[in-house]
Each structure stands twice: as C-alpha cells, then as structure tokens.
C-alpha cells in the first residue's frame, strides 16, 4: 500500500490496532486454556479436592471429563 493509501486509512488506525490487540489477547487466552501443564495441574488439584472430601465423585467425574476434553482438543491426534 502506498503512502496515499496509508494516509487515507490513518483515521481508522485505532480500530485496526484494537482489532489486532483483541486477536492477540484471544490467542494468548486460548494458549493458556489449552496448555497441557495447566490442565495437568488442574487435574491434580481436582484429585486432591476429591480425596479431601471437598467434592463428590459425580463432581469429580464431570470436571475430569471437561479437563480431558480440553486436553484432547489441544492434541487432536492422540
């Protein structure tokens, strides 16, 4: 894009910049959400809560399934 095009698009630069920032935030949030080490930590915590009697077996099974689904979505080939 030439100089003239850049000058014409200058008024919408804040909108384009905001869109870029939002895409970066979403990408980082997804990276953290699907991070296998974070999921493993959550699974360990969930097991400790079950052993401590803080949650029942049904709650454990539900949350464990959710975490394993996240792990599977991160690694669809496994």
């Amino acid at each position: 894009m030439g100089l003239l095009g850049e000058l014409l698009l200058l008024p919408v630069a804040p909108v384009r910049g905001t869109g870029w920032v939002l895409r970066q935030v979403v990408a980082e949030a997804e990276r953290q959400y699907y991070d296998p080490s974070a999921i493993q930590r959550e699974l360990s915590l969930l097991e400790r809560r079950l052993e401590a009697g803080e949650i029942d077996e049904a709650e454990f099974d539900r949350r464990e399934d959710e975490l394993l689904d996240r792990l599977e979505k991160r690694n669809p080939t496994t």
Side-chain angles (χ1 to χ4, degrees):
M1 187 175 294
L3 180 60
L4 183 58
E6 289 292 329
L7 287 174
L8 291 173
L9 291 175
L10 193 57
V12 295
V15 174
R16 290 176 31 207
T18 301
W20 179 85
V21 168
L22 289 175
R23 286 189 299 277
Q24 299 306 309
V25 168
V26 167
E28 179 62 17
E30 287 177 347
R31 187 193 65 76
Q32 289 180 17
Y33 183 76
Y34 291 112
D35 179 33
S37 61
I39 294 171
Q40 291 293 338
R41 284 191 303 272
E42 289 184 51
L43 283 167
S44 295
L45 176 61
L46 189 63
E47 188 172 354
R48 286 194 302 270
R49 291 184 66 203
L50 176 67
E51 292 171 356
E54 296 174 12
I55 60 173
D56 62 11
E57 191 75 33
E59 176 69 12
F60 175 82
D61 289 341
R62 185 184 65 77
R63 288 287 297 136
E64 182 185 41
D65 287 344
E66 290 173 2
L67 291 168
L68 293 175
D69 284 346
R70 277 174 45 193
L71 191 57
E72 185 177 296
K73 288 179 183 174
R74 174 65 174 168
N75 300 309
T77 58
T78 58

